[in-house]
Amino acid sequence: MTADDDIDLQKPRLLDFILKDQLDNAVDCGQVLGQLFMNIESPDRYIAEIKRLEEKGDRLTAEAYSAIELLAYSEIIHMNEQFVQRLDDIVDGINNTSRLIDICRPRKIEDSAHEILSILLSMIGRLRDEIVRYPVNDLASVKDCRESLKRNEEAVDLIYHNWRKKQYRILVLPLVDEANWTEILGVLEHTTDSAYHAAVLLDRQTRYHQRH
């Protein structure tokens, strides 16, 4: 039995430790997706590794919900649950991107996919930097994180929009490839939304902690 398999058999851990693990796992998952992009001609080992990390993420999510159940009831409980779900959504989005590549088997990776993944990884990294101080985060730092991730999310929206506009106006890809990449890039774009909304929730939690 591996350490990953033993997550749900450990003694109850504090939520902040579990959140750190969730974000570490999200970084690992995103980095493997980058390796998949760079090795698109032989993707199977990377697809399998991303699936393994997604399953690890599910176990961490379940552990986080269990930790929340042990907390004294307060207004922040619902924000905790939403935050945990957003972190899980990030890993799910990366796995869903990998699964679509497994289904569609593109011959090359679109430049826009590399751009969006690079931005997503920076967003996850910034969240991980902030969660190190959870739950006593500095409000100014968290606000800067939220605003930075909002700019990232808007940049990805523009990348996706311009890519689709180019396809409609110039017909760069065959129709089947265009449909496949519209779906793949759409999932990646939605995953950056999850990262941004995680930052919004972290901001709300930080404000709550400072008031109480």
Side-chain angles (χ1 to χ4, degrees):
M1 180 178 292
T2 67
D4 290 349
D5 294 329
D6 199 34
I7 286 173
D8 57 350
L9 300 179
Q10 299 171 358
K11 292 181 180 179
R13 295 193 295 160
L14 294 175
L15 181 61
D16 51 331
F17 290 107
I18 304 168
L19 297 177
K20 293 181 182 73
D21 283 352
Q22 276 192 292
L23 280 162
D24 284 342
N25 189 60
V27 169
D28 291 344
C29 202
Q31 289 175 342
V32 178
L33 183 61
Q35 293 170 9
L36 169 57
F37 283 1
M38 299 301 294
N39 296 276
I40 194 62
E41 70 285 349
S42 52
D44 291 348
R45 60 178 288 196
Y46 304 103
I47 292 168
E49 177 62 8
I50 289 169
K51 179 60 178 173
R52 185 189 72 80
L53 292 168
E54 187 270 338
E55 290 171 349
K56 176 183 176 181
D58 285 345
R59 293 192 293 275
L60 286 166
T61 298
E63 186 186 8
Y65 283 134
S66 295
I68 291 170
E69 289 177 357
L70 298 176
L71 299 176
Y73 182 79
S74 68
E75 302 169 35
I76 202 171
I77 293 295
H78 184 54
M79 284 187 276
N80 289 148
E81 292 172 339
Q82 289 180 307
F83 185 63
V84 167
Q85 183 59 57
R86 289 299 185 180
L87 298 186
D88 186 60
D89 289 344
I90 293 170
V91 175
D92 284 347
I94 294 170
N95 182 57
N96 289 338
T97 302
S98 171
R99 291 181 65 184
L100 282 170
I101 289 174
D102 188 29
I103 292 167
C104 301
R105 294 287 168 155
R107 289 167 291 181
K108 66 180 290 291
I109 299 295
E110 288 290 293
D111 289 342
S112 293
H114 287 291
E115 292 178 59
I116 294 174
L117 178 59
S118 177
I119 293 172
L120 175 61
L121 282 170
S122 73
M123 295 171 81
I124 299 169
R126 182 62 191 274
L127 283 168
R128 183 174 62 174
D129 291 344
E130 291 297 332
I131 212 65
V132 168
R133 294 180 285 274
Y134 185 88
V136 289
N137 299 82
D138 175 68
L139 182 57
S141 180
V142 171
K143 180 182 177 183
D144 182 71
C145 172
R146 173 177 56 79
E147 293 174 348
S148 176
L149 265 63
K150 178 59 177 175
R151 291 191 295 271
N152 291 150
E153 185 256 347
E154 290 173 345
V156 168
D157 284 348
L158 185 60
I159 291 169
Y160 183 52
H161 174 78
N162 286 340
W163 181 87
R164 294 200 67 188
K165 184 167 64 175
K166 183 177 180 181
Q167 301 308 314
Y168 275 97
R169 293 185 179 181
I170 308 177
L171 295 176
V172 177
L173 294 174
L175 289 177
V176 172
D177 290 340
E178 179 190 333
N180 289 341
W181 275 108
T182 296
E183 188 171 6
I184 293 168
L185 293 175
V187 170
L188 267 180
E189 185 272 335
H190 184 70
T191 307
T192 64
D193 292 344
S194 296
Y196 165 64
H197 287 296
V200 171
L201 288 162
L202 182 58
D203 180 88
R204 290 176 182 170
Q205 290 178 80
T206 302
R207 293 175 188 277
Y208 177 90
H209 284 300
Q210 293 198 351
R211 291 197 306 267
H212 295 81

